[in-house]
Amino acid sequence: MPDLKSLNQYLHLFSRPKDMAEFEQIPGFISRLLETVESLVVVLDTEGRIREFNPACERLSGYTREEMIGKKYDLLIPAEELAEVKNKLELLMAGNFEQRFEYHWLSREGKKRLLLWSSSNVKNDEGQISCIICTGLDITDLREFENRRLVVLEILETLAGTGTQAAVLQQVLQTIKTYFDCDAVALRLRKGDDYPYTQAIGFSEEFLRQESTLCSFEGCTIKRDADGLAVLDCLCGRVIRGDYDYVLTAEGVLITGNINKFVAVATAGQEQSFTIRNYCGQSGYQSVALIPLRSNQETVGLLQLNAYEENHFSEVEIAFLTIVGQSIAAALVRFQAEQERSKAELILNTIVQKAQDGFLLSTLDGKAIIYNEAMRCITGYTCEDINQYNWFYLLFPDEEMRRLAVNKARQAVAGRLEYMETEITCKDGSEKRVVLSLTPLEIEGKTYVFSTMRLPSALGAVTPAVDLWSLTSPQD
């Protein structure tokens, strides 16, 4: 037991004992305090040997008080942190009253716990430093929670960005790989019946080539189950299909610290309609985590983490990835929807630009939104010309002709006129007879006008053309 008088002085339990009987009760009180307090309390002598090691220290470290008394403090400290801790203690020995710092303890099982320490020196009656008292709190869970929160925020911010799917997913994978300090990460995304790798960091090209497809084949034909779904091989396929005979968590996540042992136990004495290839184990990986990416009860992909170290992942660490996985899945659905929309827009734009008829989508005030190549060929005017000078002013430079054209256009927009045949003035000054139709479109509460223009010969003789000038009337 250390100098209890000095320890009492440090703890400020009594400013001055009133009598000897009261003073004699102090050691017992301090002993009971050390036994019941939840904080870690370690007392070191001037040589760095442990003189007190309370029950909270025993529970955290796995070592008993009897084992630790008289031992050097460095027994509990990771080698890479020892120099910094030694420097802090030397400052205390040199007379600095208090030091606050963080460092890890290594438990008997080899697990690291992050501790926040407040350490002070205690002097005897002669003013010499007699011991160092260290009180600590285990902040491992708190720090991990904060780190996970920051990782989630970083991932969500990345997913909400405006980058391409490939760039966004690559950044997300790098964030996950850095946080878990694993050797490889990858994403499988649904493509038809299969879930091939689409993004990966750390896996060799040979690994990705060997493991890319999950579909099980009979000859050249994909095997299917009773529901018509493609049979997916390996443990990735089990997680994607939600086969709870193989997954370890209620969320459908598979975590193992030794993939070879896991496969041996999972397949012992069982016949499967699929193959567990275990290329992960053959490639030297020990720890594997497989997280399904689901959105609206639909599995859109799978997140895979591999490490060469045994027992590298914990369920607590991986659990928060199931929440992140939902955000990744939602982002993937959004990316796919954007890709489909972009593809549809590209197809539509190709059709519009290659059409023989002239197409114009404009606002009610005449600003062109879509203006195709055929329209430019017919009129000679570019989209920039139309937006700068107004369509009707260019095509109908004569004021009276323009007034009639505007009136007939209003009739067409109102649905009272299917199309009209009229004469326009082209950019080169020539006059050209065309057939013009105008259709109003309501898009998100705003009215647009879709106009088509073609030469009369393109219509054939299906419907008699309506001459613009034969439809004039005072009420128009």
PDB file of all heavy atoms in Angstrom, residues 19-35:
ATOM      1  N   ASP A  19      -8.497  14.517  15.215  1.00  0.00           N
ATOM      2  CA  ASP A  19      -7.826  13.778  16.273  1.00  0.00           C
ATOM      3  C   ASP A  19      -7.259  12.494  15.689  1.00  0.00           C
ATOM      4  O   ASP A  19      -7.529  12.138  14.538  1.00  0.00           O
ATOM      5  CB  ASP A  19      -8.781  13.479  17.438  1.00  0.00           C
ATOM      6  CG  ASP A  19     -10.067  12.807  16.953  1.00  0.00           C
ATOM      7  OD1 ASP A  19      -9.980  11.906  16.086  1.00  0.00           O
ATOM      8  OD2 ASP A  19     -11.150  13.188  17.432  1.00  0.00           O
ATOM      9  N   MET A  20      -6.484  11.784  16.507  1.00  0.00           N
ATOM     10  CA  MET A  20      -5.808  10.583  16.031  1.00  0.00           C
ATOM     11  C   MET A  20      -6.799   9.497  15.648  1.00  0.00           C
ATOM     12  O   MET A  20      -6.584   8.767  14.679  1.00  0.00           O
ATOM     13  CB  MET A  20      -4.846  10.074  17.112  1.00  0.00           C
ATOM     14  CG  MET A  20      -4.011   8.884  16.653  1.00  0.00           C
ATOM     15  SD  MET A  20      -3.064   9.228  15.135  1.00  0.00           S
ATOM     16  CE  MET A  20      -1.927  10.455  15.751  1.00  0.00           C
ATOM     17  N   ALA A  21      -7.901   9.371  16.346  1.00  0.00           N
ATOM     18  CA  ALA A  21      -8.892   8.328  16.028  1.00  0.00           C
ATOM     19  C   ALA A  21      -9.450   8.533  14.625  1.00  0.00           C
ATOM     20  O   ALA A  21      -9.619   7.588  13.855  1.00  0.00           O
ATOM     21  CB  ALA A  21     -10.016   8.350  17.071  1.00  0.00           C
ATOM     22  N   GLU A  22      -9.720   9.770  14.320  1.00  0.00           N
ATOM     23  CA  GLU A  22     -10.222  10.077  12.972  1.00  0.00           C
ATOM     24  C   GLU A  22      -9.157   9.785  11.921  1.00  0.00           C
ATOM     25  O   GLU A  22      -9.436   9.243  10.848  1.00  0.00           O
ATOM     26  CB  GLU A  22     -10.626  11.546  12.909  1.00  0.00           C
ATOM     27  CG  GLU A  22     -11.219  11.959  11.566  1.00  0.00           C
ATOM     28  CD  GLU A  22     -11.635  13.413  11.558  1.00  0.00           C
ATOM     29  OE1 GLU A  22     -11.896  13.983  12.641  1.00  0.00           O
ATOM     30  OE2 GLU A  22     -11.692  13.971  10.442  1.00  0.00           O
ATOM     31  N   PHE A  23      -7.907  10.131  12.223  1.00  0.00           N
ATOM     32  CA  PHE A  23      -6.818   9.886  11.286  1.00  0.00           C
ATOM     33  C   PHE A  23      -6.633   8.401  11.009  1.00  0.00           C
ATOM     34  O   PHE A  23      -6.377   7.998   9.880  1.00  0.00           O
ATOM     35  CB  PHE A  23      -5.531  10.486  11.845  1.00  0.00           C
ATOM     36  CG  PHE A  23      -4.371  10.358  10.890  1.00  0.00           C
ATOM     37  CD1 PHE A  23      -4.201  11.268   9.863  1.00  0.00           C
ATOM     38  CD2 PHE A  23      -3.456   9.311  10.999  1.00  0.00           C
ATOM     39  CE1 PHE A  23      -3.140  11.159   8.973  1.00  0.00           C
ATOM     40  CE2 PHE A  23      -2.403   9.195  10.116  1.00  0.00           C
ATOM     41  CZ  PHE A  23      -2.245  10.131   9.110  1.00  0.00           C
ATOM     42  N   GLU A  24      -6.814   7.585  12.043  1.00  0.00           N
ATOM     43  CA  GLU A  24      -6.606   6.152  11.881  1.00  0.00           C
ATOM     44  C   GLU A  24      -7.676   5.516  10.990  1.00  0.00           C
ATOM     45  O   GLU A  24      -7.490   4.430  10.465  1.00  0.00           O
ATOM     46  CB  GLU A  24      -6.589   5.474  13.255  1.00  0.00           C
ATOM     47  CG  GLU A  24      -5.340   5.810  14.067  1.00  0.00           C
ATOM     48  CD  GLU A  24      -5.395   5.247  15.471  1.00  0.00           C
ATOM     49  OE1 GLU A  24      -6.490   4.771  15.846  1.00  0.00           O
ATOM     50  OE2 GLU A  24      -4.366   5.285  16.172  1.00  0.00           O
ATOM     51  N   GLN A  25      -8.818   6.197  10.816  1.00  0.00           N
ATOM     52  CA  GLN A  25      -9.883   5.653   9.968  1.00  0.00           C
ATOM     53  C   GLN A  25      -9.636   5.926   8.483  1.00  0.00           C
ATOM     54  O   GLN A  25     -10.259   5.329   7.620  1.00  0.00           O
ATOM     55  CB  GLN A  25     -11.233   6.272  10.368  1.00  0.00           C
ATOM     56  CG  GLN A  25     -11.698   5.876  11.756  1.00  0.00           C
ATOM     57  CD  GLN A  25     -12.982   6.586  12.144  1.00  0.00           C
ATOM     58  OE1 GLN A  25     -13.558   7.324  11.347  1.00  0.00           O
ATOM     59  NE2 GLN A  25     -13.431   6.350  13.374  1.00  0.00           N
ATOM     60  N   ILE A  26      -8.695   6.826   8.198  1.00  0.00           N
ATOM     61  CA  ILE A  26      -8.485   7.244   6.807  1.00  0.00           C
ATOM     62  C   ILE A  26      -8.031   6.098   5.909  1.00  0.00           C
ATOM     63  O   ILE A  26      -8.581   5.904   4.817  1.00  0.00           O
ATOM     64  CB  ILE A  26      -7.490   8.424   6.751  1.00  0.00           C
ATOM     65  CG1 ILE A  26      -8.135   9.660   7.377  1.00  0.00           C
ATOM     66  CG2 ILE A  26      -7.081   8.725   5.316  1.00  0.00           C
ATOM     67  CD1 ILE A  26      -7.200  10.851   7.487  1.00  0.00           C
ATOM     68  N   PRO A  27      -7.032   5.281   6.294  1.00  0.00           N
ATOM     69  CA  PRO A  27      -6.600   4.197   5.406  1.00  0.00           C
ATOM     70  C   PRO A  27      -7.723   3.253   5.017  1.00  0.00           C
ATOM     71  O   PRO A  27      -7.843   2.862   3.846  1.00  0.00           O
ATOM     72  CB  PRO A  27      -5.519   3.499   6.222  1.00  0.00           C
ATOM     73  CG  PRO A  27      -4.996   4.560   7.135  1.00  0.00           C
ATOM     74  CD  PRO A  27      -6.190   5.380   7.506  1.00  0.00           C
ATOM     75  N   GLY A  28      -8.567   2.885   5.961  1.00  0.00           N
ATOM     76  CA  GLY A  28      -9.672   1.997   5.639  1.00  0.00           C
ATOM     77  C   GLY A  28     -10.663   2.633   4.684  1.00  0.00           C
ATOM     78  O   GLY A  28     -11.194   1.981   3.789  1.00  0.00           O
ATOM     79  N   PHE A  29     -10.901   3.918   4.864  1.00  0.00           N
ATOM     80  CA  PHE A  29     -11.816   4.623   3.980  1.00  0.00           C
ATOM     81  C   PHE A  29     -11.278   4.655   2.557  1.00  0.00           C
ATOM     82  O   PHE A  29     -12.000   4.416   1.588  1.00  0.00           O
ATOM     83  CB  PHE A  29     -12.022   6.047   4.503  1.00  0.00           C
ATOM     84  CG  PHE A  29     -12.971   6.854   3.675  1.00  0.00           C
ATOM     85  CD1 PHE A  29     -14.341   6.775   3.872  1.00  0.00           C
ATOM     86  CD2 PHE A  29     -12.495   7.685   2.666  1.00  0.00           C
ATOM     87  CE1 PHE A  29     -15.216   7.521   3.096  1.00  0.00           C
ATOM     88  CE2 PHE A  29     -13.365   8.425   1.887  1.00  0.00           C
ATOM     89  CZ  PHE A  29     -14.733   8.341   2.109  1.00  0.00           C
ATOM     90  N   ILE A  30      -9.978   4.949   2.445  1.00  0.00           N
ATOM     91  CA  ILE A  30      -9.371   5.013   1.110  1.00  0.00           C
ATOM     92  C   ILE A  30      -9.396   3.642   0.447  1.00  0.00           C
ATOM     93  O   ILE A  30      -9.662   3.528  -0.760  1.00  0.00           O
ATOM     94  CB  ILE A  30      -7.930   5.551   1.218  1.00  0.00           C
ATOM     95  CG1 ILE A  30      -7.959   7.004   1.687  1.00  0.00           C
ATOM     96  CG2 ILE A  30      -7.208   5.443  -0.119  1.00  0.00           C
ATOM     97  CD1 ILE A  30      -6.596   7.602   1.915  1.00  0.00           C
ATOM     98  N   SER A  31      -9.143   2.594   1.229  1.00  0.00           N
ATOM     99  CA  SER A  31      -9.179   1.244   0.669  1.00  0.00           C
ATOM    100  C   SER A  31     -10.557   0.920   0.129  1.00  0.00           C
ATOM    101  O   SER A  31     -10.704   0.356  -0.965  1.00  0.00           O
ATOM    102  CB  SER A  31      -8.772   0.225   1.742  1.00  0.00           C
ATOM    103  OG  SER A  31      -7.431   0.419   2.125  1.00  0.00           O
ATOM    104  N   ARG A  32     -11.595   1.256   0.885  1.00  0.00           N
ATOM    105  CA  ARG A  32     -12.963   0.994   0.415  1.00  0.00           C
ATOM    106  C   ARG A  32     -13.275   1.825  -0.829  1.00  0.00           C
ATOM    107  O   ARG A  32     -13.957   1.369  -1.749  1.00  0.00           O
ATOM    108  CB  ARG A  32     -13.962   1.297   1.529  1.00  0.00           C
ATOM    109  CG  ARG A  32     -13.932   0.293   2.671  1.00  0.00           C
ATOM    110  CD  ARG A  32     -15.137   0.435   3.578  1.00  0.00           C
ATOM    111  NE  ARG A  32     -15.175   1.748   4.232  1.00  0.00           N
ATOM    112  CZ  ARG A  32     -14.560   2.035   5.369  1.00  0.00           C
ATOM    113  NH1 ARG A  32     -13.826   1.105   5.968  1.00  0.00           N
ATOM    114  NH2 ARG A  32     -14.664   3.235   5.913  1.00  0.00           N
ATOM    115  N   LEU A  33     -12.756   3.063  -0.842  1.00  0.00           N
ATOM    116  CA  LEU A  33     -12.976   3.912  -2.016  1.00  0.00           C
ATOM    117  C   LEU A  33     -12.336   3.307  -3.254  1.00  0.00           C
ATOM    118  O   LEU A  33     -12.942   3.261  -4.330  1.00  0.00           O
ATOM    119  CB  LEU A  33     -12.406   5.311  -1.748  1.00  0.00           C
ATOM    120  CG  LEU A  33     -12.529   6.320  -2.899  1.00  0.00           C
ATOM    121  CD1 LEU A  33     -13.995   6.608  -3.189  1.00  0.00           C
ATOM    122  CD2 LEU A  33     -11.792   7.609  -2.549  1.00  0.00           C
ATOM    123  N   LEU A  34     -11.103   2.840  -3.145  1.00  0.00           N
ATOM    124  CA  LEU A  34     -10.406   2.239  -4.281  1.00  0.00           C
ATOM    125  C   LEU A  34     -11.128   0.998  -4.779  1.00  0.00           C
ATOM    126  O   LEU A  34     -11.115   0.690  -5.973  1.00  0.00           O
ATOM    127  CB  LEU A  34      -8.965   1.892  -3.890  1.00  0.00           C
ATOM    128  CG  LEU A  34      -8.029   3.076  -3.622  1.00  0.00           C
ATOM    129  CD1 LEU A  34      -6.668   2.567  -3.151  1.00  0.00           C
ATOM    130  CD2 LEU A  34      -7.874   3.936  -4.864  1.00  0.00           C
ATOM    131  N   GLU A  35     -11.756   0.257  -3.861  1.00  0.00           N
ATOM    132  CA  GLU A  35     -12.444  -0.980  -4.243  1.00  0.00           C
ATOM    133  C   GLU A  35     -13.761  -0.724  -4.956  1.00  0.00           C
ATOM    134  O   GLU A  35     -14.192  -1.538  -5.774  1.00  0.00           O
ATOM    135  CB  GLU A  35     -12.686  -1.828  -2.994  1.00  0.00           C
ATOM    136  CG  GLU A  35     -11.418  -2.414  -2.401  1.00  0.00           C
ATOM    137  CD  GLU A  35     -11.687  -3.133  -1.099  1.00  0.00           C
ATOM    138  OE1 GLU A  35     -12.865  -3.163  -0.675  1.00  0.00           O
ATOM    139  OE2 GLU A  35     -10.736  -3.662  -0.502  1.00  0.00           O
TER     140      GLU A  35
END
